[in-house]
Amino acid sequence: MVSSEAAPLAKTGGLADVVGALPAALQTLGDEVAVVIPRYGFIDLKTARRVWDRLPIFLGPARYDVTIYLAPEEFPLYLIDCPELFDRKGLYGEGGVDYPDNHIRFALFTRAALGVARFLFRTEIFHCHDWQSGLLPPYLRTTFAGDPTFLGVKTLFTIHNLGYRGLFLPSAVAQTALDPALYRPAGLEFYGQLSYIKGGIVFADAVNTVSPTYAKEIQTPEYGFGLDGALRSRANVLYGILNGVDYREWSPENDPFIPAKFSPQDLSGKRVCKARVLEEFGLPASAISAPLIGVVSRFAVQKGADLIAQVASAIVDEGMYLIALGEGEPEYEDLFRAMAAQYPDRIAVHIGFDNALAHRVEAGADIFLMPSQYEPCGLNQMYSLKYGTVPVVRATGGLNDTIEEATGFKFSEYSAPALLTALRAARQAFSSETGWRAKVLRGMGQDFSWSRSAASYSALYRQLLG
Ligand code: ADP
């Protein structure tokens, strides 16, 4: 697996969770998996073993020497060390600004991953994830087409989020030593730019995304980000495989981050968690009996922050409370700060990335809100189910595939009134203690563990290998 993120070492979102958990689930099924990620500056090498010294990689006129480390994870995790490109604070940028050499960084990364396959880990399938590894299939099919090392090797490309297309200036073609013939609309060109995600979409042997609904949606102009045509042309090899949940990390029975454990058999700890999280967010203890809405999210246009802002006053009027944890685009951070400033006793926000606090929000809230514009799979709504926190979601992508009437509340139209109708229904349901409890317990009983998804991936690998 070639990925720019893998939990717990490097994470900005769901991609890291998937790459951190799927390999182990595949190993359980008997597959041999190694993962390759960049060695970002913040990844400690103390426990890692250096397994390859100064592998030269030529990108056009430039030469990079990378060192490869093997980290002791549950599966072989190779770290590509190239300090001049990856020894930085962020994964993709800082302060909301992308690094200007991301095209070089992730081109080099995929070339180094090919090096891992050549020298360190005999590879039959490259499973690439998102635009950051999108150049691997085109390199393999052009630059390395005649290379006996890679004879019969197949590629699977997984789209975790089509919104990030990896777009760069046409000059990147030369800088990354791509075959110039690739720069055409049927190849990697995207309306005058070079698109890395198209590398995966067009050149991989199979493509999948992380839920069945999103696999259909991305073939339409509404959700296709201009790539729906390219995706439709791969429809015969385009699959939807739902992500799983790592219940070792996300279970209220044994979660080290929450102040009291709880289970379907004994829910009493959930009230303790609610009291604690109210305190942590500086909301009044008297809110304990009112419905508490939780949000954990990257603050990006995709996640529907604008809809939440539009219903803030109605949430307050309805007697509900809201806590939000997130960071991201300054515009949405400000939007949440403004809501909290306007209703200081009712709405509270914590700007930042804090995994432990994310667990406490999941455990302490009654309702989990995810009004996404689009959602390839979404993990938080599945975590919520496990923590007895009833999801209110927009019926899109993976949210549509994982939440049903029995376990949550869905709305279809991307509008404040539609969201409010769903929130009011949740508020109404909350007032019936037995009805609510039944919904909570049905959610807690759902099983989205990795074993099913891993079996689907394993079957797809085998299909690719014939
Ligand atoms: P996406 O990948 O689009 O961000 P997902 O729901 O698939 O959305 O995954 C988000 C993951 O990142 C979850 O594990 C969630 O708990 C975590 N997460 C998002 N924002 C934060 C934050 N501010 N602090 C801690 N964890 C966060």
Side-chain angles (χ1 to χ4, degrees):
M1 287 198 198
V2 185
S3 167
S4 59
E5 302 189 19
L9 293 184
K11 166 167 169 170
T12 69
L15 166 64
D17 292 328
V18 173
V19 178
L22 177 58
L26 285 164
Q27 281 182 339
T28 308
L29 298 175
D31 289 340
E32 267 182 80
V33 189
V35 174
V36 187
I37 65 169
R39 187 257 162 159
Y40 302 103
F42 51 82
I43 296 179
D44 189 357
L45 288 176
K46 252 191 235 118
T47 57
R49 198 156 55 83
R50 189 165 59 189
V51 289
W52 202 273
D53 231 3
R54 287 192 292 275
L55 174 72
I57 292 174
F58 297 90
L59 286 183
R63 169 184 171 148
Y64 298 89
D65 290 302
V66 309
T67 300
I68 302 172
Y69 290 85
L70 181 59
E73 295 289 318
E74 289 168 287
F75 42 83
L77 177 68
Y78 293 99
L79 301 165
I80 304 302
D81 192 33
C82 182
E84 57 186 304
L85 296 181
F86 289 108
D87 191 359
R88 301 181 190 172
K89 278 208 206 84
L91 278 72
Y92 315 122
E94 282 168 48
V97 182
D98 285 346
Y99 294 128
D101 56 353
N102 274 346
H103 58 297
I104 309 260
R105 297 170 78 225
F106 291 102
L108 174 110
F109 169 62
T110 53
R111 291 285 291 269
L114 290 168
V116 170
R118 185 189 298 284
F119 300 118
L120 295 163
F121 187 86
R122 216 187 84 79
T123 300
E124 289 172 297
I125 304 246
F126 287 104
H127 184 168
C128 301
H129 299 266
D130 275 353
W131 72 263
Q132 296 89 341
S133 61
L135 289 194
L136 192 146
Y139 277 135
L140 194 63
R141 297 301 170 225
T142 56
T143 315
F144 299 97
D147 191 321
T149 304
F150 301 119
L151 207 66
V153 164
K154 302 291 181 192
T155 54
L156 171 63
F157 185 70
T158 300
I159 299 168
H160 296 263
N161 192 333
L162 193 60
Y164 301 87
R165 294 168 294 190
L167 296 178
F168 301 102
L169 295 174
S171 53
V173 174
Q175 288 176 300
T176 56
L178 280 171
D179 182 341
L182 290 170
Y183 192 70
R184 59 177 201 279
L188 272 56
E189 185 192 343
F190 183 79
Y191 300 102
Q193 289 182 285
L194 178 70
S195 163
Y196 279 26
I197 207 169
K198 271 192 94 178
I201 292 171
V202 175
F203 286 94
D205 295 302
V207 179
N208 83 293
T209 184
V210 289
S211 70
T213 294
Y214 195 58
K216 291 194 202 101
E217 286 173 340
I218 56 176
Q219 298 181 56
T220 67
E222 190 187 349
Y223 291 92
F225 286 99
L227 292 163
D228 44 296
L231 286 157
R232 282 195 301 276
S233 73
R234 304 301 320 270
N236 58 330
V237 290
L238 175 57
Y239 304 88
I241 301 177
L242 203 62
N243 284 336
V245 170
D246 190 349
Y247 287 122
R248 292 168 308 177
E249 210 212 320
W250 293 96
S251 288
E253 287 94 338
N254 50 31
D255 186 331
F257 298 118
I258 62 178
K261 320 260 186 266
F262 57 93
S263 66
Q265 291 72 40
D266 180 6
L267 281 170
S268 55
K270 189 162 172 67
R271 206 176 158 84
V272 179
C273 292
K274 184 173 179 180
R276 168 68 71 86
V277 85
L278 283 170
E279 191 188 325
E280 224 172 324
F281 275 85
L283 291 178
S286 57
I288 190 80
S289 307
L292 177 63
I293 302 169
V295 170
V296 178
S297 173
R298 273 185 306 114
F299 288 158
V301 57
Q302 174 204 345
K303 300 292 180 178
D306 52 331
L307 283 195
I308 299 177
Q310 286 173 52
V311 301
S313 67
I315 285 175
V316 170
D317 291 343
E318 293 279 330
M320 300 191 272
Y321 290 73
L322 175 75
I323 53 175
L325 164 65
E327 67 172 7
E329 292 164 30
E331 178 189 349
Y332 298 106
E333 293 184 354
D334 290 344
L335 204 57
F336 273 95
R337 280 199 197 95
M339 282 185 252
Q342 194 176 356
Y343 305 104
D345 297 337
R346 308 296 294 276
I347 297 179
V349 58
H350 182 99
I351 306 286
F353 195 93
D354 184 338
N355 182 46
L357 189 55
H359 284 248
R360 287 195 290 279
V361 173
E362 290 286 2
D366 300 299
I367 293 166
F368 196 86
L369 181 56
M370 257 176 114
S372 307
Q373 268 179 13
Y374 71 94
E375 195 59 74
C377 177
L379 293 167
N380 282 304
Q381 81 281 9
M382 295 192 273
Y383 303 157
S384 301
L385 290 172
K386 206 35 144 201
Y387 284 75
T389 304
V390 176
V392 173
V393 304
R394 181 156 174 264
T396 183
L399 297 173
N400 189 47
D401 293 331
T402 53
I403 305 303
E404 42 195 281
E405 210 184 302
T407 56
F409 298 87
K410 292 203 263 198
F411 64 99
S412 294
E413 191 186 273
Y414 187 79
S415 73
L419 165 58
L420 199 54
T421 304
L423 273 176
R424 286 201 173 113
R427 204 250 166 282
Q428 180 75 23
F430 183 82
S431 58
S432 148
E433 203 174 311
T434 48
W436 189 257
R437 192 184 161 84
K439 212 173 186 75
V440 162
L441 290 177
R442 280 195 299 269
M444 292 179 90
Q446 300 274 304
D447 182 5
F448 290 105
S449 52
W450 268 107
S451 49
R452 195 175 10 160
S453 318
S456 302
Y457 278 108
S458 193
L460 186 49
Y461 299 152
R462 274 169 183 70
Q463 184 185 321
L464 282 174
L465 292 172

